[in-house]
Amino acid sequence: MNQLRIRTLAAVFVVAGVLSWSGARLWDALGTLPGVPFAAPVVLGAIAAVLLATALSLRARLKAQREREPGAKGVDPMMAARAVLFGQASALVAALVSGMYGGTALFLITERADIPARASQALYAGLAVVAGIAVIAAAVLLERICRLPEDDDENNPPTAAA
C-alpha cells in the first residue's frame, strides 16, 4: 500500500478548486448557481471524527500491545489495513470535495458577497473546506499510526548456510 502524498492531495484540491470556481462563474452567468448544502460541513466533520477516533483507538491498542500490558487487545492486521485504506480514500475524496467548495466559496466571496443568501452559502462552503482539511489531517494521522517499522534487512544481509 502506498503512502498518502500531501502534494497529490494539494494538486487535487487546487484543480478541483479552479474547476469549481470556473463552473460557478458559468452557472451564475446562466442564473442557476446551486446552493451549498448545510450538510456538507456536517458530513465531512463526522468523517473526520470517525477517522480520529479510529486513529486514537488503534494507537492506544498498539501501545498496550507493545508494552505487553495484561489483557491488551491485539490489533488485527487486516483491520488496520482496512482502516488505513478507508483513511486514504476519505482523504482523496475530502481533497476533491474541499477543492470544489473552496472554489465555490472563493467565487461567492469575490463576486456575490453583497447578497445575504450568498454570504451564508459562502460560510457553509468555507466550513466544508475546514472540515475537509480535518478529514485529511485525521487520515494522515491514522496512516502514521498504522505504519510498520522499517526492516533492517538491508543493513544486515542474511548469512549463507554452510
Side-chain angles (χ1 to χ4, degrees), residues 35-158:
V36 177
F38 173 74
V42 173
V43 169
L44 287 170
I47 293 170
V50 167
L51 285 172
L52 183 62
T54 303
L56 295 176
S57 172
L58 283 173
R59 183 176 70 178
R61 288 172 64 185
L62 287 170
K63 180 181 177 191
Q65 190 177 8
R66 258 192 327 268
E67 294 175 356
R68 301 191 191 282
E69 292 180 6
K73 290 173 86 177
V75 176
D76 180 32
M78 285 303 293
M79 193 271 304
R82 287 184 190 118
V84 170
L85 190 61
F86 172 64
Q88 287 181 346
S90 297
L92 285 169
V93 170
L96 178 70
V97 171
S98 295
M100 289 173 45
Y101 285 126
T104 302
L106 183 64
F107 171 76
L108 291 172
I109 290 170
T110 58
E111 302 291 327
R112 297 288 179 195
D114 56 338
I115 302 171
R118 295 297 185 187
S120 67
Q121 296 296 306
L123 175 67
Y124 295 154
L127 289 174
V129 171
V130 170
I133 292 170
V135 168
I136 293 169
V140 169
L141 175 67
L142 177 62
E143 185 181 54
R144 297 301 186 260
I145 288 171
C146 292
R147 187 182 324 169
L148 292 174
E150 296 294 324
D151 290 334
D152 287 337
D153 290 343
E154 294 149 1
N155 296 337
N156 301 324

